[in-house]
Amino acid sequence: MKRYIMGGVAIVAVITSIGAGEIRRWGYDGHEMSGYAAAVNIPKAMPEFFRESVDQMTYLNPEPDRWRAPDSLSREMNEGFSSDHFVDLEALPAGALDARDRWDYWARAQAGGVKRVRDAGFAYYAIMELYQRLEHEFQLWRNEKSESRREFIEMRILNDAGILGHFVADVANPLHTTVHYDRWVEPYPNPNGYTTVRGFHSRFESAYVKANITKADVVARTQRAPTYVADVRAGVKTHIMGSHALVNRLYELDKIEAFGPETKGAAHKEFTTGRLAAGADMLRDLWWTAWVKSGEPGAH
């Protein structure tokens, strides 16, 4: 059984013949909120075409989830990118994320006993790959003399910047950083009695967000000024690890009052808007950093 979350509703489909990895995502609503909050805070020093992309960045944040099709004709597409949306940190051997590319990382994961890609996750590398592409595209744009060719590069920049946002937002959700992505699983100890019933993922990031969180809520929690990320690799890892550190807190909140459309706890809303805002801030910072680094001496 594989899970699909569309429009805040969990849909269960029998597609075992596909063999695609488990679906893990913020609902479309949460992704759009995060993309919007990042885009309305784009620094004025960035190019005008990018600053005017609020609607496009909002639309594109959920885009990789739209590529997932629940049918047997989409095996290659579903299998190819399904593991880019998460990283199961507990399953990885020490130092796995120090690998400089996804293939070295996967070799290290296998050496540490991980047998399937879907038990590891490539989110860190999906983010780094798209970030590096964006930095290079900004440098191409800076150097291009032809106005028509510049417009082509602008389209490429906007598309990749929006898609980058999806994976940055994904790992801002603690459930995208853990083996406990949908319930607390064995053989890991569960001394606090966290839920072991499937469905936590969709209850939290789809049903709860759709009913209780707005774009204005997320924007209100974002930082107004960008942060230049001097060491992007370290910055992205910090973003992921900071989210992972909140896995227990998220499960504690669900134990206090289960996440769902009717949840009213103030702490639940504060936590959730904080996570969506963290994704927005990191995304905006990566956009800003890619732009600044593209103009530095020695840029690609």
Side-chain angles (χ1 to χ4, degrees):
M1 301 288 281
K2 304 299 181 190
R3 302 172 303 267
Y4 292 86
I5 303 167
M6 300 181 179
V9 178
I11 301 174
V12 179
V14 179
I15 57 167
T16 53
S17 61
I18 295 178
E22 288 86 348
I23 302 302
R24 317 182 191 191
R25 65 183 72 170
W26 281 113
Y28 290 147
D29 299 276
H31 269 294
E32 289 199 346
M33 292 174 197
S34 192
Y36 175 83
V40 296
N41 282 320
I42 294 173
K44 292 183 179 179
M46 292 192 74
E48 182 179 11
F49 80 88
F50 199 81
R51 288 186 281 110
E52 293 180 346
S53 69
V54 174
D55 289 345
Q56 192 166 353
M57 293 301 100
T58 302
Y59 173 82
L60 284 173
N61 203 284
E63 183 71 354
D65 285 341
R66 299 187 184 105
W67 300 339
R68 291 165 154 176
D71 61 71
S72 59
L73 299 179
S74 303
R75 180 187 177 95
E76 293 84 355
M77 177 175 67
N78 288 332
E79 285 285 353
F81 301 103
S82 62
S83 294
D84 283 356
H85 299 253
F86 65 93
V87 56
D88 286 346
L89 290 173
E90 299 94 342
L92 298 177
L97 289 180
D98 294 333
R100 292 301 293 267
D101 59 65
R102 69 167 62 209
W103 307 122
D104 182 23
Y105 161 78
W106 176 231
R108 294 188 189 199
Q110 287 179 299
V114 179
K115 299 189 181 335
R116 305 182 304 172
V117 169
R118 70 188 65 175
D119 294 328
F122 287 123
Y124 168 71
Y125 293 92
I127 293 169
M128 287 305 307
E129 290 157 6
L130 281 161
Y131 167 81
Q132 290 168 6
R133 185 185 301 173
L134 184 61
E135 183 183 323
H136 183 61
E137 289 162 353
F138 274 132
Q139 197 270 341
L140 292 174
W141 184 85
R142 288 177 183 272
N143 293 335
E144 183 56 59
K145 306 303 181 189
S146 165
E147 286 301 319
S148 61
R149 290 172 68 89
R150 254 193 166 195
E151 290 178 1
F152 298 152
I153 299 171
E154 289 172 6
M155 289 186 282
R156 181 74 269 155
I157 286 171
L158 293 176
N159 187 73
D160 287 340
I163 300 304
L164 169 63
H166 180 89
F167 302 109
V168 173
D170 267 348
V171 294
N173 177 355
L175 297 180
H176 283 254
T177 71
T178 178
V179 297
H180 309 293
Y181 64 89
D182 195 40
R183 58 173 177 157
W184 203 266
V185 297
E186 297 180 342
Y188 298 91
N190 188 10
N192 297 313
Y194 298 143
T195 183
T196 58
V197 178
R198 293 183 185 275
F200 181 25
H201 205 106
S202 63
R203 285 194 290 105
F204 168 58
E205 69 172 23
S206 291
Y208 174 75
V209 170
K210 184 177 181 64
N212 294 279
I213 310 296
T214 68
K215 288 179 181 177
D217 293 329
V218 180
V219 171
R221 293 290 301 277
T222 57
Q223 300 174 4
R224 292 297 177 263
T227 297
Y228 175 79
V229 185
D231 185 338
V232 176
R233 288 185 177 88
V236 173
K237 288 178 187 175
T238 297
H239 176 58
I240 293 172
M241 296 301 181
S243 182
H244 182 67
L246 296 171
V247 170
N248 277 281
R249 176 56 177 160
L250 177 54
Y251 270 89
E252 288 169 1
L253 287 169
D254 189 63
K255 186 177 178 181
I256 293 168
E257 181 185 3
F259 280 96
E262 306 303 320
T263 306
K264 300 304 180 186
H268 293 63
K269 184 167 185 176
E270 180 180 7
F271 180 93
T272 308
T273 54
R275 287 291 82 212
L276 288 164
D281 284 336
M282 188 63 192
L283 176 57
R284 186 271 321 280
D285 292 347
L286 288 176
W287 289 341
W288 171 242
T289 301
W291 168 247
V292 174
K293 284 183 180 288
S294 73
E296 293 176 348
H300 296 296

